[in-house]
Amino acid sequence: FLRRFGNSPLRRFSTMPPANPLQKDFPLRPLGNSSLLVTPVCLGTMTWGLQNTAAEAAAQLDYAVKQRGINFIDTAELYPVPSSDPRWAAGITEEYIGAWLEQNQDLRKDLVIATKVAGFIPESDVPRMRAADPAATETEKKPCRHDRESIIAACNASLRRLKTDYIDLYQLHWPDRYAPIFGSTAYDPKSEREGSIPFDDILRTLKELLDSGKIKAYGLSNETTFGVCQFVRGADALGMPRPVSIQNSFSLMHRSFETELAEACAPKNFNIGLLPWSVLAGGTLSGKYLGGKKPEGARHVLYPNFMPRFHADNVMEIVGKYAEIAKEAGMSLTTLAIAFCRSRWYVDGNGSCIIGATTMDQLTECIDAYKVELSEEVLAKIDAVHLSCRNPTQGL
């Protein structure tokens, strides 16, 4: 049931993948419509600072970059998560990455560093934590928005923490306007907010950052088809580059991207690469919670109220069915879940699969999993389970 690379969808877009200067496991491909060349696996970092120490973060970077040749690292000003943890502070993860980059300056030119500016939050500590010395600033919570002042301040703070002169990919973490995201799927006009920052205003600020050289490209995240189309329309009208990527939830448990969003982002249309997040549904698709297990230190044990949609009873029932498919195919559930993402043309063609881990063993397994190609028989079994219960982690 396993085949290695062979008929990768990547071949439909490039007959000769660019060489990886890091000379390790993976070739490079353009990210969406950009000139950024990325590995098909992207190192996620959102646990660094709460579930992982600075030393553990550095060890993950050393292994992923120096031993496996991964050149793509994703973070956010909001990380680590969840912000409900009393130890949380915005930007800790970026600081960990910055400390590592400072010790590995010779590698910076070969890396693609992606970070994000937070979307709408009515009251948050994030704005004041953008200051060089947050303790010296006022403690009053302020809104997170995508107005010019907020985006510029967030970008400058990320540059400072990351100890770099430029950000390769700057992403809007989630929209400034109302949109049904993070488990919601039904649009409700009653939830629309007055005063949302217009698309063109956001784009003008991003253009300013592009023109200044502070960012090389920009991307979207947790975005809808309407939002993608509006950003592309606005970019064309302003004579600036289009968004190059979209970081949305995608996994065996949440496949809604493959409908009209995939059409809009397809290489022959807007050519916007998918960066799927939570490909293991917050660790649930590792199988470690099956049978009511509660492993010590696991995310959903430490933070049961953080993304509870990933470990609801109906979800665990479907996870069990995917675990059976994995067992029959002679692989771990983690491998099945990540290899499934690799089988999607909108991931392995012009995007990159974000993987994250809290242990080195998990990291190794996740990276190895992306080198596995699933057979048509296994993919058919996956589709059968999906058709019996579509997107169980999503509500209305």
Side-chain angles (χ1 to χ4, degrees), residues 276-347:
W277 64 264
S278 211
V279 295
L280 294 181
T284 299
L285 283 169
S286 69
K288 61 187 173 186
Y289 301 108
L290 285 172
K293 295 178 183 176
K294 295 184 177 181
E296 183 179 357
R299 184 186 311 171
H300 296 317
V301 176
L302 292 173
Y303 310 111
N305 296 319
F306 179 60
M307 297 183 176
R309 65 184 182 277
F310 286 145
H311 54 95
D313 290 343
N314 66 310
V315 169
M316 298 311 300
E317 180 181 352
I318 302 302
V319 171
K321 294 182 179 181
Y322 285 128
E324 292 176 8
I325 296 173
K327 184 177 180 180
E328 291 172 359
M331 67 183 75
S332 69
L333 179 54
T334 294
T335 298
L336 182 82
I338 293 176
F340 169 75
C341 289
R342 187 210 162 199
S343 75
R344 306 296 92 179
W345 61 263
Y346 38 82
V347 176

Side-chain angles (χ1 to χ4, degrees), residues 111-124:
L111 298 175
V112 175
I113 306 295
T115 192
K116 313 178 196 75
V117 54
F120 178 83
I121 305 176
E123 291 186 343
S124 174

Side-chain angles (χ1 to χ4, degrees), residues 160-218:
R160 184 185 69 249
R161 296 183 192 116
L162 290 166
K163 298 184 186 299
T164 184
D165 295 329
Y166 63 94
I167 293 164
D168 297 276
L169 177 65
Y170 199 52
Q171 304 158 99
L172 306 174
H173 204 159
W174 63 91
D176 185 87
R177 71 188 192 284
Y178 158 71
I181 54 175
F182 300 131
S184 298
T185 58
Y187 190 86
D188 182 4
K190 295 178 181 177
S191 297
E192 293 173 352
R193 294 188 294 269
E194 293 291 332
S196 294
I197 308 300
F199 290 96
D200 286 2
D201 287 1
I202 298 171
L203 284 163
R204 288 188 184 94
T205 304
L206 293 172
K207 185 176 186 301
E208 183 179 339
L209 292 174
L210 287 166
D211 292 344
S212 70
K214 290 184 176 181
I215 67 174
K216 288 188 174 182
Y218 69 97

Side-chain angles (χ1 to χ4, degrees), residues 50-101:
L50 290 178
Q51 289 180 262
N52 288 103
T53 65
E56 290 168 341
Q60 286 197 30
L61 284 162
D62 282 341
Y63 175 73
V65 175
K66 299 176 183 178
Q67 294 188 44
R68 304 304 297 271
I70 291 173
N71 80 332
F72 196 7
I73 301 164
D74 178 73
T75 189
E77 68 164 341
L78 183 69
Y79 292 170
V81 292
S83 58
S84 59
D85 190 303
R87 299 169 297 162
W88 171 84
I92 294 177
T93 308
E94 289 183 328
E95 290 177 351
Y96 285 5
I97 296 170
W100 184 85
L101 287 174

Side-chain angles (χ1 to χ4, degrees), residues 1-158:
F1 290 96
L2 303 183
R3 300 195 299 277
R4 298 286 173 173
F5 274 123
N7 297 319
S8 167
L10 175 61
R11 297 181 179 229
R12 292 200 291 270
F13 305 106
S14 174
T15 57
M16 186 64 67
N20 184 348
L22 299 173
Q23 296 296 322
K24 301 296 179 181
D25 288 2
F26 300 103
L28 302 179
R29 84 276 298 272
L31 177 61
N33 58 70
S34 77
S35 60
L36 298 175
L37 297 176
V38 300
T39 44
V41 176
C42 174
L43 181 61
T45 64
M46 75 176 193
T47 62
W48 298 0
L50 290 178
Q51 289 180 262
N52 288 103
T53 65
E56 290 168 341
Q60 286 197 30
L61 284 162
D62 282 341
Y63 175 73
V65 175
K66 299 176 183 178
Q67 294 188 44
R68 304 304 297 271
I70 291 173
N71 80 332
F72 196 7
I73 301 164
D74 178 73
T75 189
E77 68 164 341
L78 183 69
Y79 292 170
V81 292
S83 58
S84 59
D85 190 303
R87 299 169 297 162
W88 171 84
I92 294 177
T93 308
E94 289 183 328
E95 290 177 351
Y96 285 5
I97 296 170
W100 184 85
L101 287 174
E102 191 172 39
Q103 296 299 314
N104 295 273
Q105 295 181 30
D106 58 317
L107 294 175
R108 178 64 184 95
K109 67 182 186 304
D110 297 323
L111 298 175
V112 175
I113 306 295
T115 192
K116 313 178 196 75
V117 54
F120 178 83
I121 305 176
E123 291 186 343
S124 174
D125 287 313
V126 171
R128 72 175 182 83
M129 290 181 176
R130 292 168 180 157
D133 182 9
T137 64
E138 56 187 284
T139 59
E140 181 183 358
K141 293 176 185 276
K142 294 183 177 180
C144 281
R145 303 300 306 272
H146 284 166
D147 58 278
R148 179 186 179 279
E149 181 182 0
S150 296
I151 292 177
I152 297 295
C155 183
N156 288 337
S158 290

